Amino acid sequence: MAEKMSRVVKKRKLDEIRQDRLYFDSYSDVTIHEEMIADHVRTNTYRTAILKNSESVRGKVVLDVGAGTGVLSIFCAQAGAKKVYAVEACSIADQAQITVKHNNMEDRIEVIRGTVETVDLPETVDVIVSEWMGYALLHESMLNSVLYARDKWLKPDGIILPSKAELYITPVIDPVVEDRLHFWYTVKDQYGVDMSCMSGFARKCIMNSDITVSSVTCEDVLSHPARFAELDLHSVTPEELRSVKGQFRCESFGSSAVNAFCVYFTVTFPCPDSTAPLVLSTSPCKPETHWKQAVLYLDAPVEVVQDTPITGEVRMYPSEENARHICIHVDYSIGEQKRQSKTFSIPDWSSEAQP
């Protein structure tokens, strides 16, 4: 029995190592870095936030967790940082080093290849900056690395950029899905074959349990959003990230059919010299980002009218198969409908490609 348990633990450890390798390898290609830097909302908000916090950065020591190509580290140096440790686990660190040298910043930015959990810095830091957010905020679980860096390297009075994250949910109508389902009713008119019987099968295939990452238009949002979770990066613990949950209540704007929930996030940067903090939002009613939104399809659409209550609870937690992947469980009621539940996850395509 003990030998069997030992094999299980060893297999789990090997799976975690493989998952980490796949995760870091995915950031070794130029495409993902092009997508992130080309995301003007993302990159410019970080640049603005760093410059607005120049009083906290100037002459100070900064740790960039998951530095990628090094662009945030360079922003920090431009804001006057005395020293920036750019920690990056994948091979893109070599390109970061080249970029740093190309911008004549090598005297202030030190690129360190490795995970933040394994590198050894020569000093504590005044500022942690990181672009750690994944789809639906927590996919890829990089926030755990930021918290590790906070607990090990950040001075007691240090700052974290961004300092807060919030999660929102809202009911939506996806008209493309409805058009795809209706398609099977049009085949007979086109080709003389009645294929309306395919509609149920199509619904199961399309309105499945996947977290669909796609752009939701503001016109398809059916209520004001409800915030169901807030994470203070100065105090949240890794244990709390194992189950991020909260209740929600929305009221529909008017007559429509809810066929999905949309989950999105914001992150907030402190701005000492401004009355209002700086917010990076992935709301469908704000300019689009590369994160888009997480769409969770119901099994079937539900009709609503003005002020129909839509209530429930959302719970987000790491997948048992891959701790870097997020699952979202939603308990919900729409109007007089009885309580329903559905669990969603992002498909792990990498596992199918592995022996």
Side-chain angles (χ1 to χ4, degrees), residues 247-263:
Q247 296 184 338
F248 67 91
R249 178 183 175 87
C250 303
E251 294 183 350
S252 55
F253 290 141
S255 298
S256 187
V258 178
N259 65 5
F261 287 111
C262 162
V263 170

Side-chain angles (χ1 to χ4, degrees), residues 19-20 22-24 26-27 32 36 131-145 290-291 318 322-326 346:
Q19 290 160 7
D20 283 349
L22 288 168
Y23 167 64
F24 291 126
S26 72
Y27 283 86
I32 193 167
M36 290 189 294
E131 196 277 78
W132 52 267
M133 300 84 74
Y135 298 127
L137 186 69
L138 298 175
H139 185 62
E140 293 182 338
S141 71
M142 188 182 158
L143 180 53
N144 288 284
S145 295
H290 78 282
W291 288 286
N322 186 338
R324 288 195 176 276
H325 286 207
I326 198 71
I346 289 184

Side-chain angles (χ1 to χ4, degrees), residues 31 55 89 132 144 146 157 171 205 230 237 255 265 307 310 340:
T31 305
E55 287 301 313
W132 52 267
N144 288 284
V146 176
D157 59 347
C205 292
E230 178 180 337
T237 66
S255 298
F265 67 86
D307 297 330
I310 301 164
Q340 298 195 46

Side-chain angles (χ1 to χ4, degrees), residues 12 35 93 299 313:
R12 186 177 295 135
E35 180 184 48
D299 290 332
E313 182 176 81

Side-chain angles (χ1 to χ4, degrees), residues 170-176 215-223 256-257 260:
T170 184
V172 297
I173 172 71
D174 184 343
V176 174
S215 296
V216 176
T217 65
C218 193
E219 291 76 16
D220 295 332
V221 173
L222 301 181
S223 80
S256 187

Side-chain angles (χ1 to χ4, degrees), residues 56-124:
S56 301
V57 173
R58 188 178 298 115
K60 300 296 179 63
V61 179
V62 178
L63 169 58
D64 182 356
V65 179
T69 55
V71 65
L72 301 188
S73 294
I74 292 174
F75 290 162
C76 290
Q78 290 173 339
K82 176 177 68 176
K83 183 74 176 182
V84 182
Y85 296 104
V87 176
E88 174 53 53
C90 81
S91 60
I92 200 70
D94 297 335
Q95 296 301 317
Q97 185 66 64
I98 293 169
T99 303
V100 166
K101 188 173 182 180
H102 189 68
N103 284 270
N104 301 312
M105 296 284 190
E106 63 266 40
D107 59 328
R108 284 191 284 162
I109 301 175
E110 180 179 344
V111 179
I112 303 173
R113 173 79 184 270
T115 65
V116 77
E117 292 85 356
T118 58
V119 301
D120 191 24
L121 302 183
E123 57 186 324
T124 54

Side-chain angles (χ1 to χ4, degrees), residues 1-208:
M1 184 69 173
E3 184 181 346
K4 183 179 180 182
M5 286 298 293
S6 176
R7 287 201 302 270
V8 170
V9 171
K10 187 177 289 186
K11 182 180 184 301
R12 186 177 295 135
K13 190 67 179 173
L14 287 172
D15 285 346
E16 289 174 1
I17 292 170
R18 183 177 70 83
Q19 290 160 7
D20 283 349
R21 177 172 56 79
L22 288 168
Y23 167 64
F24 291 126
D25 285 352
S26 72
Y27 283 86
S28 297
D29 183 73
V30 71
T31 305
I32 193 167
H33 297 284
E34 178 184 347
E35 180 184 48
M36 290 189 294
I37 293 176
D39 182 343
H40 181 75
V41 174
R42 165 202 179 269
T43 306
N44 196 57
T45 302
Y46 266 86
R47 181 173 182 267
T48 302
I50 290 166
L51 294 176
K52 281 183 175 290
N53 280 275
S54 59
E55 287 301 313
S56 301
V57 173
R58 188 178 298 115
K60 300 296 179 63
V61 179
V62 178
L63 169 58
D64 182 356
V65 179
T69 55
V71 65
L72 301 188
S73 294
I74 292 174
F75 290 162
C76 290
Q78 290 173 339
K82 176 177 68 176
K83 183 74 176 182
V84 182
Y85 296 104
V87 176
E88 174 53 53
C90 81
S91 60
I92 200 70
D94 297 335
Q95 296 301 317
Q97 185 66 64
I98 293 169
T99 303
V100 166
K101 188 173 182 180
H102 189 68
N103 284 270
N104 301 312
M105 296 284 190
E106 63 266 40
D107 59 328
R108 284 191 284 162
I109 301 175
E110 180 179 344
V111 179
I112 303 173
R113 173 79 184 270
T115 65
V116 77
E117 292 85 356
T118 58
V119 301
D120 191 24
L121 302 183
E123 57 186 324
T124 54
V125 303
D126 304 285
V127 180
I128 289 177
V129 64
S130 181
E131 196 277 78
W132 52 267
M133 300 84 74
Y135 298 127
L137 186 69
L138 298 175
H139 185 62
E140 293 182 338
S141 71
M142 188 182 158
L143 180 53
N144 288 284
S145 295
V146 176
L147 302 189
Y148 181 93
R150 175 198 70 189
D151 296 340
K152 185 167 185 179
W153 299 115
L154 187 64
K155 293 177 181 177
D157 59 347
I159 68 168
I160 304 175
L161 301 173
S163 59
K164 182 175 70 173
E166 294 166 285
L167 281 155
Y168 295 84
I169 189 169
T170 184
V172 297
I173 172 71
D174 184 343
V176 174
V177 165
E178 295 306 312
D179 288 345
R180 289 181 65 188
L181 296 177
H182 181 68
F183 163 77
W184 297 104
Y185 292 91
T186 69
V187 175
K188 186 176 182 180
D189 288 342
Q190 295 183 71
Y191 306 113
V193 179
D194 187 349
M195 298 197 74
S196 59
C197 57
M198 283 286 291
S199 180
F201 174 68
R203 187 178 299 282
K204 287 181 181 177
C205 292
I206 297 169
M207 301 180 75
N208 55 31

Side-chain angles (χ1 to χ4, degrees), residues 196-349:
S196 59
C197 57
M198 283 286 291
S199 180
F201 174 68
R203 187 178 299 282
K204 287 181 181 177
C205 292
I206 297 169
M207 301 180 75
N208 55 31
S209 297
D210 290 346
I211 297 172
T212 303
V213 177
S214 63
S215 296
V216 176
T217 65
C218 193
E219 291 76 16
D220 295 332
V221 173
L222 301 181
S223 80
H224 292 297
R227 187 181 70 174
F228 66 88
E230 178 180 337
L231 304 177
D232 181 343
L233 268 63
H234 284 278
S235 60
V236 69
T237 66
E239 292 72 28
E240 290 170 331
L241 294 183
R242 297 199 61 80
S243 181
V244 174
K245 62 183 180 179
Q247 296 184 338
F248 67 91
R249 178 183 175 87
C250 303
E251 294 183 350
S252 55
F253 290 141
S255 298
S256 187
V258 178
N259 65 5
F261 287 111
C262 162
V263 170
Y264 70 91
F265 67 86
T266 64
V267 294
T268 301
F269 299 84
C271 289
D273 298 331
S274 174
T275 54
L278 188 62
V279 178
L280 193 169
S281 175
T282 62
S283 164
C285 297
K286 296 289 185 180
E288 186 175 323
T289 71
H290 78 282
W291 288 286
K292 302 178 182 177
Q293 289 83 35
V295 180
L296 316 174
Y297 289 109
L298 311 185
D299 290 332
V302 180
E303 297 292 329
V304 294
V305 296
Q306 185 171 339
D307 297 330
T308 296
I310 301 164
T311 61
E313 182 176 81
V314 187
R315 184 167 72 91
M316 303 176 69
Y317 56 94
S319 164
E320 289 184 5
E321 286 74 30
N322 186 338
R324 288 195 176 276
H325 286 207
I326 198 71
C327 294
I328 304 177
H329 179 82
V330 185
D331 290 313
Y332 65 95
S333 295
I334 301 178
E336 299 300 316
Q337 183 190 63
K338 69 177 183 179
R339 195 87 156 176
Q340 298 195 46
S341 298
K342 193 168 182 179
T343 301
F344 305 84
S345 59
I346 289 184
D348 187 0
W349 303 115

